[in-house]
Amino acid sequence: MADTAPELVSLRVERKDHVAEVTLLGPSKGNAMGPDFWRELPQVFAELDADPDTRAIVLTGSGKNFSYGLDLPAMMGDWAGMLGGDSLAGPRTEFLGTIRRLQAAVSSIAQCRKPVVAAVSGWCIGGGVDVIAACDIRLASADAKFSVREVKVAIVADLGSLQRLAGIIGEGHLRELALTGKDIDAARAEKIGLVNDVHADQDAVLAAARELAAEIAANPPLVVQGTKDVLGHEREARVADGLRYVAAWNSAFLPSKDLGEAVAAFLERRPPKFSGA
């Protein structure tokens, strides 16, 4: 596969035989999602959507992990106004815009007309789960671990997991994961339907994802795109409504002492002590 778009920092795009492979690069540890990622993700998927030679996409992570999720220290600039003691209409409105921008970045995967197969190894946390929930098919290696962890850092998950996962794993499993923030392994992920199949290791899951994408790409491209469009018609309308609601909820209620405590505990590498304030 030949590299394209060398100006990208957080993603690598390679194309071969009608299949594009998008790899998360970080640059933060564990492919954590910082400002570069949120800027580049919708750009990449818009370009792949418009590329007539691309018929299917594989999405994976570099190194041992898919993604640690949101790069909290790198994103603190967008949150600074919300963490002050007097975040009134101005800071809240700006934060609402930030949430909507990040939501749109994740939704660019679901809205891309080309089917996307996620190949997950190692940790897939928070924003990583948002991203794979927006994909069409998910595969995992045996060492993969998943966590809808936002509740543990005093955040209502707002980038699509709560809206998309119900249709993938069902309400009961979603509520368990979202309300506890627990980690689950690849075997549990397969059992509840979060991933279709589990493969022995990272090389094996990537090979399986490439094979599946090639199988999709061999079909009539306009029919494949039409099938994805029809399958997503009801869901994406419902998801869009849920995303608007959670963006408004978080811009109103996210500022809290517990959020400040969660951020401080993360930066100081200690367990948080939540007070409910």
Side-chain angles (χ1 to χ4, degrees):
M1 291 187 175
D3 285 348
T4 61
E7 72 277 5
L8 295 173
V9 175
S10 68
L11 299 167
R12 180 175 66 243
V13 182
E14 302 170 304
R15 293 175 173 89
K16 183 180 180 182
D17 297 333
H18 300 301
V19 175
E21 192 166 305
V22 180
T23 305
L24 281 62
L25 302 177
S28 298
K29 183 178 179 181
N31 304 320
M33 300 167 172
D36 290 325
F37 173 84
W38 297 109
R39 182 182 69 255
E40 293 174 355
L41 185 69
Q43 171 191 333
V44 163
F45 274 88
E47 290 175 357
L48 293 175
D49 178 78
D51 177 17
D53 194 52
T54 297
R55 298 183 180 182
I57 302 166
V58 172
L59 180 62
T60 191
S62 62
K64 296 180 179 180
N65 300 290
F66 184 80
S67 179
Y68 286 173
L70 189 72
D71 187 344
L72 192 57
M75 298 297 291
M76 284 301 294
D78 290 333
W79 291 30
M82 294 294 291
L83 294 176
D86 56 352
S87 55
L88 299 177
R92 290 171 190 260
T93 301
E94 290 179 10
F95 190 63
L96 176 62
T98 296
I99 296 172
R100 287 176 172 168
R101 177 173 58 84
L102 271 56
Q103 288 177 338
V106 174
S107 292
S108 70
I109 300 171
Q111 292 164 0
C112 179
R113 290 173 295 172
K114 317 304 170 63
V116 184
V117 181
V120 182
S121 298
W123 282 106
C124 181
I125 301 172
V129 177
D130 291 310
V131 163
I132 67 167
C135 295
D136 297 280
I137 301 166
R138 290 151 295 279
L139 307 178
S141 61
D143 71 337
K145 296 178 286 291
F146 304 84
S147 180
V148 183
R149 195 174 290 184
E150 285 86 347
V151 69
K152 288 188 174 293
V153 288
I155 298 172
V156 175
D158 55 11
L159 301 185
S161 288
L162 302 187
Q163 290 73 32
R164 292 188 171 98
L165 284 181
I168 298 170
I169 64 175
E171 284 280 350
H173 293 304
L174 171 57
R175 288 173 185 267
E176 179 184 350
L177 298 185
L179 295 172
T180 64
K182 65 167 59 175
D183 306 332
I184 63 169
D185 61 16
R188 174 79 191 279
E190 183 181 25
K191 181 178 180 180
I192 66 177
L194 179 58
V195 300
N196 287 22
D197 294 296
V198 175
H199 299 270
D201 53 31
Q202 187 174 34
D203 289 341
V205 72
L206 188 53
R210 289 169 175 165
E211 182 179 353
L212 183 55
E215 186 177 354
I216 293 169
N219 288 325
L222 295 181
V223 174
V224 168
Q225 292 173 32
T227 300
K228 175 170 178 174
D229 182 42
V230 171
L231 286 171
H233 176 69
E234 269 190 46
R235 184 186 78 164
E236 288 309 308
R238 191 166 59 248
V239 167
D241 183 62
L243 290 175
R244 285 192 296 271
Y245 184 81
V246 72
W249 199 99
N250 268 355
S251 63
F253 297 114
L254 188 65
S256 67
K257 291 182 179 179
D258 279 345
L259 176 59
E261 166 64 9
V263 173
F266 177 84
L267 296 175
E268 296 167 12
R269 299 180 181 277
R270 60 172 175 80
K273 297 180 179 180
F274 296 128
S275 64

